[in-house]
Amino acid sequence: MNTTVRNIILTVFVLLSLHGWSQKTIVSGKVLDAQTKEPILFAPVFFVGTKTGVMTDENGAFRIETYYSSDSLRVNAVGYQSQSKKIKQGTTMVVNFELNAIGELETIVIKPKEGPNPAIALVKNVLRNKKINNREKLDAYEYEAYNKVEFDLNNITEEFQKRKIFKAFEFVFDGVDTTQGKPYLPVFMTESLSDFYFKRDPKFSKEVIKATKVSGVENESINQFLGDMYQNVNIYDNEIIAFGKSFTSPISAYCLGFYDYDLIDSAYIDGKWCYKLQFFPRRKQELLFFGEMWINDTTYAVKSVDATIAEGANINWIKEFQVKQEYNEVEDEVWMLVQDELLIDFNISDKKMGVYGRKTATYKNFVINKPRNGEFYSGLSDIVVNEDADEKDDAFWKEARHIELSENQEKIYHMVDTLKSLPQFRTVADIITLFVSGYKVKGNFEFGPYYTFYSFNPVEGNRFRLGGRTSNQFSKRLMLDGYLAYGLRDERFKYGGGFIYVLNKNPRMAFGASGKRDMEQLGQADGAFREDNVLSSLARRNPANKLTDVTELTSYFEREWLYGFSNKLIFTHRVLKPAGDQYRYVRFTPALTEQQEVDFLITSEFTLYTRFAYKEKFVYGQFERVSLGTTYPALEILFSQGIPDILGSEFRYRKLIARVEDKVRFGPFGYVKYNVEAGKIFGNLPYPLLMMHQGNETFFYDESSYNTMNFFEFVSDEWASVWATYHAEGLVLNKIPVMRRLKWREVVSMKALVGSYDEANDNILSRDFNYDGRPDIYTLGRPYVEAALGIENIFKVLRVDAIWRLSYLDNPNIVRFGIRAKLQVDF
């Protein structure tokens, strides 16, 4: 436990540590004649290896204040020997030079010779000055951002428009644009106007969204994602993250290993001499760009870039991904992004209808190195949406927009409102909702989920279930849900129901309660297929004959204190009974010569759940929310206290579980997802209330389970586990010509588990529930390990893993090797 805690603390410390940025270097002094001590006028003083320098004045004095320094300052003066001195970058220094006169000048002969590719030398200078030119070098900056996002249907053919299903929608096709390569129809648009603030030390960013305008989306939480913070591409980052993938920037720190370059032009742009650089991938199918960029010849800052995803890149559904950016020197030696354009073409195939996603952003009103007071940056969230942000009228937008809307864009808002009023449109929308959520919406009620209507297991036989919940039309604060199920073999009804009441959505504060009497598979992971899912019934490798009849009452209150930091207080009361005839609860005591069956177990506990995920963001529904993740590790801690004599509960105990999970990117070399967990239960308990380690008895691959472990195979009261999965993103297969076209991607995983078990727990409930003199549930005397090697992105939707069980190979009815599959839709 202590080692685990130390590792958690070390991991959090390393990943949250901040990196310094380049500071201005200020050097002043005089240049004198070493013999006469007279000032040397108009002598060039410059940083070695740069184009940054000044001339001395009539007093021989100079002063240089710049981000573009090096560690050496040199003076060249006609008639004098050159002299260099070491400089400490990022500091203020006084440096004086005394130059010695020279005699007759030596004749220098310059001969031309073949040199290296000048484009490579230019790129190296760009890399050398990356930190200096990156805006995050500044102590502070702020600007006003205007963002416009548009979605268009493309490949709109006349044949498609004439289909009967679209007869009621014919008016929308009046807006089809054929001025680009594919005919497209604008159908959705958002706009936002915001003020963005950045402070370097301590590092903090904040965005105040002043105005938003959205066509067709009735969810105010979407407003926080319409600003600049969630739609920004920084060409100076080593990796550009898009669609969950890491695209290597053409000026990343390791770009020379992935790109080739050509110097193709030079010209004055906005009064500054610039070089035009062409870049293209060295190898096929890697997540790279091709395109051009202009580089300023003095500061080596990017003036503009036009980059498009390389042809054949190993990514699904994306036919085109283009980035265009324009930078200006808004103050001396301060380059800022002033215009940003993204174009994305989503398409299943070239001949099918797809979607254009377009983003245009412009930036102005820059304020540089004038940080505001500390209170300004404080608050629960780094994104603030003004209360009246979505109430701005057309007159406001006409004045506030940085760029005027086109004629087609002006029509989008009216067209979407008209579409929403058509019954045929609602029918299509309902079908999509049913497929995605599993629920059919009808007025105040939602029926579902549909995939639980029928299932099968040996205990219940054929099982039928009907359920549902109230819709947002019923209430946007209170949701009621319930279900009723019946098994034909056990001839029993099962049921459940509950409610949730949302006091505040952002930050979240809610309470709820639920109750049920139903079958449950102990030791099943939260992310696995639920037992009443029809797919779970059809794809099992062992029969589901170790179910537990559970009666449960739960209530909770949850509160998000800061964004990414929340608590949930939970009360749970459970009555557990073994179901079927494959296992039972039995007890052995010294006063008995035989084992005695126990009808049920009763427990009541309070749990405090804490989650800390720095800068984690969510998309909110009315009652549920979906995490967009965070770039930092997420920490979860659960502390439970079992209390006897509450509703007949029998046991006193304490339970502590800590868990850390994260996704670590390695740029073009893929990424690793890991999960580290440790837990301990204080006090003796029967095995169903201990940690029943997560098995998987289906042929589906489950990332949160041990896929070659059976249910009821291992139990612990103290344990630690490590799971890690490496997604190579085609690192090897992309380089094999015969495999390249398939776009398969390698995946390697490992799961390890250690644990211990106090034999005194057997005095409460025996693990020998088959009366054969040996435990039917095992303890972990040594590590349990399984490893897997797989291929994902098969047919773009399938992952298949070959899994080897590496320990406890003599346990009965286990699989030493298995093939497991998983459906996953990924870019």
Side-chain angles (χ1 to χ4, degrees):
M1 286 291 292
N2 292 336
T3 302
T4 301
V5 172
R6 285 197 299 269
N7 290 338
I8 291 171
I9 294 173
L10 178 61
T11 300
V12 172
F13 175 78
V14 171
L15 292 175
L16 296 182
S17 62
L18 299 175
H19 300 277
W21 292 90
S22 299
Q23 300 293 302
K24 272 193 174 183
T25 301
I26 303 174
V27 183
S28 59
K30 286 190 173 183
V31 179
L32 306 176
D33 185 300
Q35 302 299 320
T36 67
K37 308 302 180 184
E38 292 290 325
I40 300 177
L41 285 60
F42 311 120
V45 184
F46 59 95
F47 286 102
V48 177
T50 76
K51 295 186 178 182
T52 302
V54 296
M55 305 284 281
T56 58
D57 62 16
E58 63 273 13
N59 298 314
F62 68 90
R63 175 183 168 86
I64 306 177
E65 182 174 343
T66 183
Y67 291 107
Y68 301 95
S69 62
S70 66
D71 62 358
S72 184
L73 190 68
R74 179 178 294 175
V75 179
N76 288 340
V78 177
Y80 290 90
Q81 295 178 357
S82 298
Q83 188 176 119
S84 299
K85 290 192 175 183
K86 287 293 183 181
I87 298 298
K88 186 175 182 180
Q89 292 176 271
T91 62
T92 299
M93 301 179 64
V94 176
V95 178
N96 296 313
F97 292 88
E98 293 187 359
L99 305 185
N100 292 309
I102 59 176
E104 184 178 347
L105 294 177
E106 182 179 344
T107 301
I108 299 176
V109 179
I110 301 176
K111 296 181 179 180
K113 70 173 184 176
E114 288 292 326
N117 181 355
I120 300 300
L122 180 61
V123 172
K124 289 181 178 179
N125 279 322
V126 172
L127 299 181
R128 224 173 268 125
N129 290 276
K130 264 185 67 172
K131 284 187 177 181
I132 301 171
N133 289 318
N134 195 331
R135 60 191 178 186
E136 294 193 15
K137 73 182 178 184
L138 301 170
D139 291 333
Y141 61 81
E142 57 189 72
Y143 54 76
E144 182 183 79
Y146 168 73
N147 278 279
K148 178 177 64 181
V149 178
E150 177 186 333
F151 287 94
D152 313 320
L153 298 178
N154 61 35
N155 269 346
I156 302 291
T157 64
E158 290 187 13
E159 180 184 357
F160 178 84
Q161 298 176 37
K162 292 178 180 178
R163 293 181 180 178
K164 290 183 179 180
I165 190 174
F166 298 113
K167 187 171 181 61
F169 309 143
E170 286 180 349
F171 70 95
V172 305
F173 297 118
D174 294 338
V176 172
D177 193 321
T178 58
T179 58
Q180 296 190 1
K182 298 179 182 180
Y184 67 91
L185 173 68
V187 293
F188 173 85
M189 190 170 69
T190 72
E191 297 176 273
S192 72
L193 190 73
S194 60
D195 290 327
F196 186 88
Y197 306 88
F198 173 85
K199 183 181 179 182
R200 185 180 55 81
D201 189 17
K203 188 173 182 180
F204 195 95
S205 57
K206 179 177 182 178
E207 184 170 19
V208 178
I209 298 180
K210 302 183 291 185
T212 62
K213 192 172 185 179
V214 185
S215 65
V217 175
E218 298 175 353
N219 183 346
E220 62 270 20
S221 75
I222 200 71
N223 290 339
Q224 64 178 314
F225 304 102
L226 301 182
D228 192 53
M229 196 171 290
Y230 283 95
Q231 304 179 59
N232 195 280
V233 172
N234 189 349
I235 196 69
Y236 286 100
D237 289 340
N238 289 330
E239 298 296 320
I240 296 172
I241 308 300
F243 321 110
K245 304 294 181 184
S246 295
F247 293 82
T248 301
S249 167
I251 55 171
S252 73
Y254 35 81
C255 61
L256 294 175
F258 294 88
Y259 287 94
D260 282 325
Y261 301 86
D262 286 329
L263 187 61
I264 59 175
D265 200 0
S266 59
Y268 278 104
I269 301 179
D270 295 335
K272 298 185 181 297
W273 189 252
C274 298
Y275 297 107
K276 190 176 186 180
L277 197 64
Q278 189 177 64
F279 51 88
F280 41 90
R282 288 184 168 219
R283 293 170 294 274
K284 294 181 178 180
Q285 275 197 281
E286 294 183 346
L287 296 180
L288 303 170
F289 296 95
F290 72 89
E292 302 168 345
M293 57 183 164
W294 287 90
I295 305 297
N296 177 243
D297 81 320
T298 302
T299 62
Y300 300 105
V302 175
K303 181 68 178 74
S304 67
V305 60
D306 185 346
T308 302
I309 187 175
E311 185 178 356
N314 193 340
I315 189 169
N316 300 326
W317 327 119
I318 306 298
K319 298 298 180 183
E320 185 177 1
F321 174 38
Q322 185 178 29
V323 180
K324 290 184 178 181
Q325 294 188 328
E326 185 79 26
Y327 294 80
N328 279 346
E329 193 173 23
V330 297
E331 288 189 5
D332 287 343
E333 299 187 351
V334 176
W335 290 83
M336 298 292 288
L337 180 66
V338 294
Q339 185 159 329
D340 187 11
E341 296 179 33
L342 298 180
L343 172 64
I344 304 159
D345 184 1
F346 302 88
N347 217 303
I348 295 176
S349 70
D350 293 333
K351 297 182 180 180
K352 300 293 183 181
M353 187 175 67
V355 176
Y356 279 138
R358 308 171 189 268
K359 175 217 170 181
T360 303
T362 54
Y363 311 93
K364 66 180 184 180
N365 301 336
F366 294 95
V367 178
I368 305 299
N369 287 338
K370 294 180 180 179
R372 296 174 180 252
N373 60 53
E375 291 183 0
F376 175 80
Y377 299 99
S378 63
L380 288 176
S381 175
D382 51 7
I383 298 178
V384 177
V385 182
N386 288 349
E387 289 185 3
D388 62 344
D390 57 356
E391 299 174 1
K392 305 299 183 183
D393 58 20
D394 292 341
F396 170 88
W397 282 105
K398 189 172 182 179
E399 180 70 24
R401 287 186 183 105
H402 296 188
I403 303 173
E404 290 186 5
L405 298 183
S406 68
E407 183 179 349
N408 271 356
Q409 290 169 341
E410 289 277 10
K411 295 177 181 177
I412 291 177
Y413 293 114
H414 173 71
M415 183 183 67
V416 171
D417 289 340
T418 305
L419 268 176
K420 289 166 58 182
S421 67
L422 296 176
Q424 295 93 331
F425 179 83
R426 292 305 315 161
T427 300
V428 174
D430 287 345
I431 293 173
I432 294 173
T433 300
L434 175 65
F435 178 77
V436 174
S437 70
Y439 287 86
K440 164 65 178 174
V441 181
K442 188 69 174 178
N444 290 330
F445 202 72
E446 299 180 7
F447 298 89
Y450 63 84
Y451 48 78
T452 63
F453 174 73
Y454 171 78
S455 60
F456 172 85
N457 63 71
V459 176
E460 297 176 278
N462 295 302
R463 171 184 164 119
F464 297 91
R465 180 187 187 276
L466 291 175
R469 62 191 183 189
T470 55
S471 68
N472 296 343
Q473 182 175 312
F474 173 79
S475 173
K476 293 186 177 181
R477 287 194 176 272
L478 174 66
M479 182 176 72
L480 308 174
D481 68 274
Y483 72 90
L484 181 67
Y486 186 77
L488 297 183
R489 176 171 294 175
D490 65 354
E491 298 181 337
R492 284 184 48 217
F493 283 101
K494 293 86 181 176
Y495 48 84
F499 76 92
I500 175 175
Y501 190 87
V502 178
L503 297 166
N504 192 48
K505 282 183 22 176
N506 197 6
R508 186 175 179 84
M509 183 163 59
F511 65 91
S514 63
K516 73 173 185 179
R517 181 169 184 182
D518 206 343
M519 296 297 174
E520 187 175 310
Q521 176 64 70
L522 300 184
Q524 179 171 273
D526 292 337
F529 276 123
R530 47 194 289 175
E531 281 303 309
D532 56 1
N533 189 317
V534 64
L535 292 177
S536 179
S537 301
L538 296 174
R540 298 190 63 88
R541 59 180 176 85
N542 287 330
N545 55 13
K546 295 178 182 177
L547 299 178
T548 300
D549 183 350
V550 177
T551 301
E552 179 180 278
L553 296 173
T554 300
S555 61
Y556 69 89
F557 175 80
E558 62 177 318
R559 172 71 185 271
E560 190 171 37
W561 304 97
L562 302 169
Y563 287 94
F565 178 63
S566 61
N567 284 120
K568 181 184 282 189
L569 182 63
I570 309 164
F571 171 75
T572 305
H573 174 77
R574 285 164 66 89
V575 180
L576 284 70
K577 300 179 182 180
D581 56 1
Q582 294 300 309
Y583 87 106
R584 66 209 74 184
Y585 294 163
V586 292
R587 177 182 296 144
F588 177 83
T589 63
L592 297 174
T593 57
E594 295 183 353
Q595 292 177 319
Q596 178 186 39
E597 290 199 21
V598 177
D599 292 330
F600 50 80
L601 303 171
I602 304 177
T603 179
S604 296
E605 69 177 28
F606 286 94
T607 298
L608 178 63
Y609 168 77
T610 301
R611 178 176 174 84
F612 176 66
Y614 186 57
K615 292 190 175 182
E616 182 177 29
K617 303 299 179 186
F618 298 88
V619 173
Y620 293 83
Q622 294 300 332
F623 301 98
E624 300 169 332
R625 60 182 187 173
V626 177
S627 173
L628 297 178
T630 172
T631 57
Y632 300 91
L635 171 66
E636 296 177 305
I637 299 176
L638 293 91
F639 176 76
S640 298
Q641 176 69 59
I643 303 175
D645 303 321
I646 296 181
L647 301 177
S649 58
E650 308 170 72
F651 306 102
R652 184 184 300 276
Y653 58 90
R654 294 190 305 278
K655 182 190 303 182
L656 179 64
I657 302 174
R659 185 183 304 118
V660 175
E661 59 184 8
D662 193 17
K663 180 178 181 178
V664 182
R665 295 184 182 276
F666 297 101
F669 303 105
Y671 63 92
V672 169
K673 293 174 70 174
Y674 71 84
N675 179 299
V676 179
E677 178 179 297
K680 182 175 177 61
I681 298 172
F682 303 86
N684 295 124
L685 289 173
Y687 67 83
L689 304 182
L690 299 175
M691 172 53 81
M692 303 283 291
H693 295 293
Q694 303 100 316
N696 180 16
E697 295 187 356
T698 73
F699 293 106
F700 292 108
Y701 182 83
D702 179 18
E703 287 196 76
S704 54
S705 301
Y706 300 96
N707 288 280
T708 58
M709 183 187 291
N710 292 333
F711 293 131
F712 279 68
E713 186 174 357
F714 293 101
V715 63
S716 300
D717 55 21
E718 185 174 1
W719 69 96
S721 64
V722 178
W723 302 352
T725 303
Y726 172 54
H727 298 261
E729 299 283 75
L731 182 65
V732 176
L733 296 179
N734 283 347
K735 297 173 177 59
I736 303 174
V738 70
M739 303 296 294
R740 190 177 294 149
R741 292 177 62 86
L742 297 174
K743 294 189 177 181
W744 288 0
R745 303 165 187 166
E746 317 86 343
V747 58
V748 181
S749 63
M750 183 278 296
K751 297 180 180 181
L753 169 69
V754 295
S756 63
Y757 179 84
D758 186 347
E759 299 292 338
N761 294 316
D762 289 340
N763 295 329
I764 303 175
L765 206 63
S766 173
R767 290 176 288 124
D768 177 16
F769 48 73
N770 283 321
Y771 300 104
D772 57 5
R774 60 182 182 181
D776 293 287
I777 305 177
Y778 299 93
T779 60
L780 290 161
R782 61 185 188 279
Y784 174 91
V785 182
E786 66 182 31
L789 179 63
I791 300 293
E792 53 188 353
N793 207 44
I794 301 172
F795 306 120
K796 299 183 180 180
V797 295
L798 185 65
R799 169 178 167 177
V800 177
D801 286 72
I803 308 173
W804 289 266
R805 177 165 167 156
L806 303 180
S807 58
Y808 296 94
L809 302 181
D810 296 327
N811 284 9
N813 302 318
I814 58 101
V815 289
R816 298 188 176 194
F817 172 79
I819 301 294
R820 301 290 180 266
K822 177 184 179 183
L823 291 173
Q824 60 180 32
V825 179
D826 192 10
F827 285 107

